[in-house]
Amino acid sequence: MKRYRLLLLVPLLLFLAGCTSSGRITNTPIEAPLTTYERQITTGLEGQRRDDAFFYIAMSGGGTRAAAFSYGVLQELRDTTYTRDGKEERLLDEIDYISSVSGGSFTAAYYSLFGDRIFEDYETVFLRQNVQKTLIGSILNPFNWLRGLFTGFNRTETAIDYYDRNIFEGSTFNDVFAHDGPYLAINASDLGIGGRFAFTQERFNLLCSDLGPFKVARAVAASSAVPVVFAPVTLQNHDTCDYTLPDVLKIDAENSDKNPRISAAIKDLDSYQDKNDRPYIHLVDGGITDNLGIRALYDRVELMGGAREVARTLDRSPKYVVLVIINAATNTKNPIDSSRDTPSTAQVMSAVSSTQIGGYTLESLSLLEESFYEWTAELSTPEKPVTPFFIKLDFENIANIRQRKFLNNMATSFSLPDDEVDTLIKAGRTLLREAPDYQKLVRIIRK
């Protein structure tokens, strides 16, 4: 079974998990809330972003498949140019905000750290590496079993160590902030509340913690930590600063009739204030709570009081609002339906998780699409209308049936053959280039 190949190791991993170890804590405490980095939404590298556009990208989960698909989209944005004030500009440089989950977090983090360097070495560094083989080899290494018994070094720490040394070069979020690229939200799932957790300073303020020195590799590992296969990434909910939610959020939480989803999100945020009952936060794959990375955008806009308040806070009055959703989910026939044999544990786990994630993804897409057009209507005035561009990229939009089937049968893993990587990159480029709203956007900005 291709989906989640690592699940084949479940029996062994369950055995090893019997020797429980404490999660390694690396998030540092602070005595007062720190400044957040929302300025990155408005400035960008050398202040080159347009003032009249909001440009958001969401990168889904799906292992190397999602990473390569997202990378192809970035390539197409790089090669889409237009002229402004006599200077050639790239659409890639207009991205204000990237939200990512699981496999998509590798591409999002690498681009946010290294910028255009991603087009020089990312394929060699990650996309065409057999990361899965390396990680499995480490997990099965008896030396690491003994190491885990005495030091707490588990399979997740093995992955973090590999990502840190071989992909992200020891980088921290301070390096992301220094690059001054798009605002980055890497998303994981908080097991304690069953909600989304974003690696942003706003969220780390709730933990009385500094995101700056936190390793990017650890955040990406949390975002992609498939439950059971990988142990959760643990953070300490420090009680060292005086930070409370804004009064307006508390009022909205009480008014559950106004927006039950946002009320639930506020209650999740408020739960971090309970330092006694929640001294530790355990994080796993972000795909469990939002496999598209789009709830981060929805929550941000709604929690800030709506699109008009966001524009006021960022001191921008947009003419265009662009949202690109990169969805690397597959749609395959379930092999358990072809046999009367009782499905294996791995097959059952995969089917259950796929059903839950698929249903929640559909609900999230519908919610965001409806809200997106409401936000742009809210921002529009008779004198200055705002044009929305809602761009969904997924394998179902591939016109060629044979290629669509090929893409839909790719594994969710951290190892893909070169020909599959090539196909995914090309698909990302082609789907974006042929998306009707993207073509409309390009025509407008090139006038």
Side-chain angles (χ1 to χ4, degrees), residues 325-369:
I325 301 173
I326 308 169
N327 182 8
T330 55
N331 182 19
T332 57
K333 292 182 179 180
N334 200 325
I336 64 176
D337 296 333
S338 62
S339 173
R340 65 177 292 175
D341 295 340
T342 301
S344 67
T345 300
Q347 288 176 318
V348 171
M349 291 177 64
S350 180
V352 170
S353 64
S354 296
T355 299
Q356 292 175 329
I357 291 172
Y360 192 65
T361 294
L362 180 61
E363 196 273 341
S364 295
L365 266 175
S366 299
L367 171 65
L368 185 64
E369 185 166 11

Side-chain angles (χ1 to χ4, degrees), residues 94-105:
E94 300 299 339
I95 301 173
D96 295 294
Y97 186 109
I98 300 178
S99 175
S100 67
V101 179
S102 197
S105 292

Side-chain angles (χ1 to χ4, degrees), residues 1 30 137 207 217 277 288-289 292 298 314 346 366 400 424 444:
M1 185 176 183
I30 54 176
L207 307 183
D277 286 346
I288 295 173
T289 49
L292 291 180
Y298 175 81
L314 299 179
S366 299
N400 186 291
L424 286 159
I444 289 175

Side-chain angles (χ1 to χ4, degrees), residues 95-141:
I95 301 173
D96 295 294
Y97 186 109
I98 300 178
S99 175
S100 67
V101 179
S102 197
S105 292
F106 286 88
T107 303
Y110 203 88
Y111 175 66
S112 296
L113 277 169
F114 304 122
D116 275 8
R117 182 179 138 185
I118 193 173
F119 305 117
E120 300 170 7
D121 61 10
Y122 184 58
E123 293 183 47
T124 302
V125 168
F126 179 68
L127 294 182
R128 302 184 190 277
Q129 290 290 328
N130 194 337
V131 176
Q132 185 159 298
K133 180 179 179 181
T134 301
L135 295 181
I136 291 175
S138 296
I139 291 171
L140 297 179
N141 186 337

Side-chain angles (χ1 to χ4, degrees), residues 198-273:
F199 284 89
T200 63
Q201 186 57 54
E202 292 94 325
R203 190 60 59 100
F204 263 51
N205 277 339
L206 292 172
L207 307 183
C208 292
S209 189
D210 184 359
L211 180 63
F214 196 81
K215 288 290 186 74
V216 171
R218 188 166 291 272
V220 172
S223 182
S224 57
V226 178
V228 181
V229 177
F230 292 104
V233 170
T234 302
L235 305 178
Q236 185 167 350
N237 191 4
H238 296 289
D239 189 13
T240 55
C241 69
D242 183 18
Y243 183 77
T244 59
L245 296 179
D247 290 338
V248 64
L249 293 186
K250 296 177 181 178
I251 294 172
D252 284 347
E254 295 171 359
N255 186 14
S256 59
D257 292 336
K258 182 178 179 181
N259 190 331
R261 295 184 182 90
I262 292 303
S263 294
I266 294 172
K267 289 178 182 178
D268 284 350
L269 295 176
D270 197 39
S271 73
Y272 297 103
Q273 307 285 66

Side-chain angles (χ1 to χ4, degrees), residues 7-176:
L7 288 176
L8 296 175
L9 292 172
V10 165
L12 174 61
L13 296 175
L14 287 174
F15 170 76
L16 295 176
C19 302
T20 304
S21 62
S22 298
R24 185 182 177 195
I25 307 296
T26 65
N27 60 306
T28 56
I30 54 176
E31 296 181 355
L34 297 178
T35 302
T36 61
Y37 288 85
E38 289 181 338
R39 64 179 176 77
Q40 290 194 252
I41 301 177
T42 61
T43 57
L45 190 63
E46 300 177 357
Q48 64 194 21
R49 296 194 197 115
R50 299 174 64 111
D51 292 330
D52 60 355
F54 287 162
F55 200 132
Y56 301 91
I57 287 187
M59 298 182 178
S60 81
T64 300
R65 185 184 66 242
F69 191 42
S70 299
Y71 174 66
V73 171
L74 293 184
Q75 281 190 339
E76 189 63 27
L77 288 169
R78 174 200 62 189
D79 294 340
T80 304
T81 61
Y82 66 98
T83 302
R84 182 177 61 176
D85 299 329
K87 181 182 177 182
E88 186 175 73
E89 305 281 2
R90 309 181 304 177
L91 265 186
L92 177 68
D93 300 318
E94 300 299 339
I95 301 173
D96 295 294
Y97 186 109
I98 300 178
S99 175
S100 67
V101 179
S102 197
S105 292
F106 286 88
T107 303
Y110 203 88
Y111 175 66
S112 296
L113 277 169
F114 304 122
D116 275 8
R117 182 179 138 185
I118 193 173
F119 305 117
E120 300 170 7
D121 61 10
Y122 184 58
E123 293 183 47
T124 302
V125 168
F126 179 68
L127 294 182
R128 302 184 190 277
Q129 290 290 328
N130 194 337
V131 176
Q132 185 159 298
K133 180 179 179 181
T134 301
L135 295 181
I136 291 175
S138 296
I139 291 171
L140 297 179
N141 186 337
F143 172 78
N144 285 332
W145 301 357
L146 295 174
R147 185 181 182 188
L149 289 175
F150 296 102
T151 68
F153 192 87
N154 56 33
R155 52 193 177 275
T156 297
E157 293 300 327
T158 299
I160 292 170
D161 183 61
Y162 177 87
Y163 302 158
D164 191 48
R165 287 185 295 104
N166 297 286
I167 302 173
F168 301 114
E169 302 178 357
S171 298
T172 67
F173 277 88
N174 277 328
D175 297 307
V176 175

